[in-house]
Amino acid sequence: NAGVTQTPKFQVLKTGQSMTLQCAQDMNHEYMSWYRQDPGMGLRLIHYSVGAGITDQGEVPNGYNVSRSTTEDFPLRLLSAAPSQTSVYFCASSEGTDYEQYFGPGTRLTVT
Amino acid sequence: GENVEQHPSTLSVQEGDSAVIKCTYSDSASNYFPWYKQELGKRPQLIIDIRSNVGEKKDQRIAVTLNKTAKHFSLHITETQPEDSAVYFCAASTSGTYKYIFGTGTRLKVLA
């Protein structure tokens, strides 16, 4: 099992550009989520999904979109990048919210 | 909204001493309390978790205690070793709400 995979590992964007961060899991987990990690602020939930076709907002959703067309994939789209979106992004999956979350290796994004 | 406070933000201990990290949660319906360890440049990984029907859980040198009345839980690491140096995150979740709330993290340094 590859677990949770993310691409790319690093990305530099200019303000206003858009891009998609990819996330995939091979554990057949229904619950998937995206977090951003900033110094001193822990892990903040951006969006989450409880199954294919179902997504919802977390605590910091502005500027991001998600979709869940399959159980395996949960891409995160930045619509118009801003310097405030410079962060490390982690995707995670689990059997449910009261179970262990398995994190991907992260994507370090810099917006200039 | 729901909140998890974590203290201290940094903690330095001598090798062989004990370390204690404390978290307080706001949602009295929270029923799952995991702890994650994140080494520098790596993804967070679960080290121990506890559910609301249990007051204490132990796994070798690490233990977690839960006080539901006071709405706080703690991580205890005994006989600390240099490889315990990392950032530790607590979290709280509530069945049916589909949200994990993380604390802001504690950077633990074990001095040799």
Side-chain angles (χ1 to χ4, degrees):
Chain A
N1 281 357
V4 180
T5 58
Q6 289 182 238
T7 56
K9 286 194 171 184
F10 302 94
Q11 183 70 51
V12 178
L13 291 177
K14 294 188 187 304
T15 298
Q17 289 184 316
S18 62
M19 78 159 295
T20 299
L21 308 185
Q22 301 292 344
C23 174
Q25 52 95 7
D26 62 0
M27 295 175 281
N28 203 34
H29 287 162
E30 291 296 328
Y31 183 82
M32 295 186 74
S33 51
W34 276 101
Y35 294 88
R36 59 177 290 171
Q37 184 173 31
D38 302 294
M41 301 190 75
L43 293 150
R44 293 184 292 168
L45 182 65
I46 305 171
H47 285 285
Y48 64 94
S49 169
V50 300
I54 306 169
T55 64
D56 205 347
Q57 297 180 351
E59 63 181 307
V60 288
N62 291 342
Y64 309 94
N65 273 356
V66 292
S67 60
R68 184 95 179 270
S69 56
T70 67
T71 298
E72 294 78 20
D73 300 299
F74 190 43
L76 178 72
R77 297 184 187 84
L78 278 70
L79 309 173
S80 177
S84 61
Q85 294 179 304
T86 293
S87 188
V88 179
Y89 292 84
F90 286 100
C91 177
S93 77
S94 70
E95 295 178 48
T97 50
D98 49 353
Y99 292 90
E100 173 180 3
Q101 293 216 45
Y102 295 85
F103 286 85
T107 295
R108 183 173 295 275
L109 175 69
T110 302
V111 183
T112 61
Chain B
E2 298 88 349
N3 187 46
V4 175
E5 293 188 1
Q6 183 172 346
H7 299 283
S9 57
T10 60
L11 179 61
S12 293
V13 299
Q14 289 295 132
E15 182 178 359
D17 287 351
S18 296
V20 181
I21 303 169
K22 300 182 179 182
C23 288
T24 304
Y25 60 98
S26 61
D27 185 358
S28 57
S30 294
N31 60 346
Y32 177 63
F33 307 93
W35 286 89
Y36 289 82
K37 177 183 180 182
Q38 185 179 28
E39 297 177 351
L40 190 62
K42 302 286 183 65
R43 72 191 80 186
Q45 291 190 293
L46 182 78
I47 55 170
I48 196 167
D49 56 9
I50 193 168
R51 298 185 185 277
S52 58
N53 58 347
V54 176
E56 183 174 357
K57 185 176 178 181
K58 192 172 182 180
D59 182 4
Q60 298 182 357
R61 295 187 298 107
I62 61 173
V64 57
T65 58
L66 171 64
N67 183 327
K68 286 190 293 183
T69 303
K71 292 192 285 187
H72 68 68
F73 57 111
S74 300
L75 177 71
H76 305 254
I77 305 174
T78 59
E79 301 172 22
T80 53
Q81 301 168 3
E83 52 265 38
D84 294 328
S85 295
V87 178
Y88 292 81
F89 291 98
C90 63
S93 76
T94 308
S95 294
T97 65
Y98 306 113
K99 293 181 183 179
Y100 249 62
I101 306 296
F102 281 89
T104 50
T106 296
R107 183 174 299 278
L108 174 64
K109 296 181 184 177
V110 180
L111 308 170

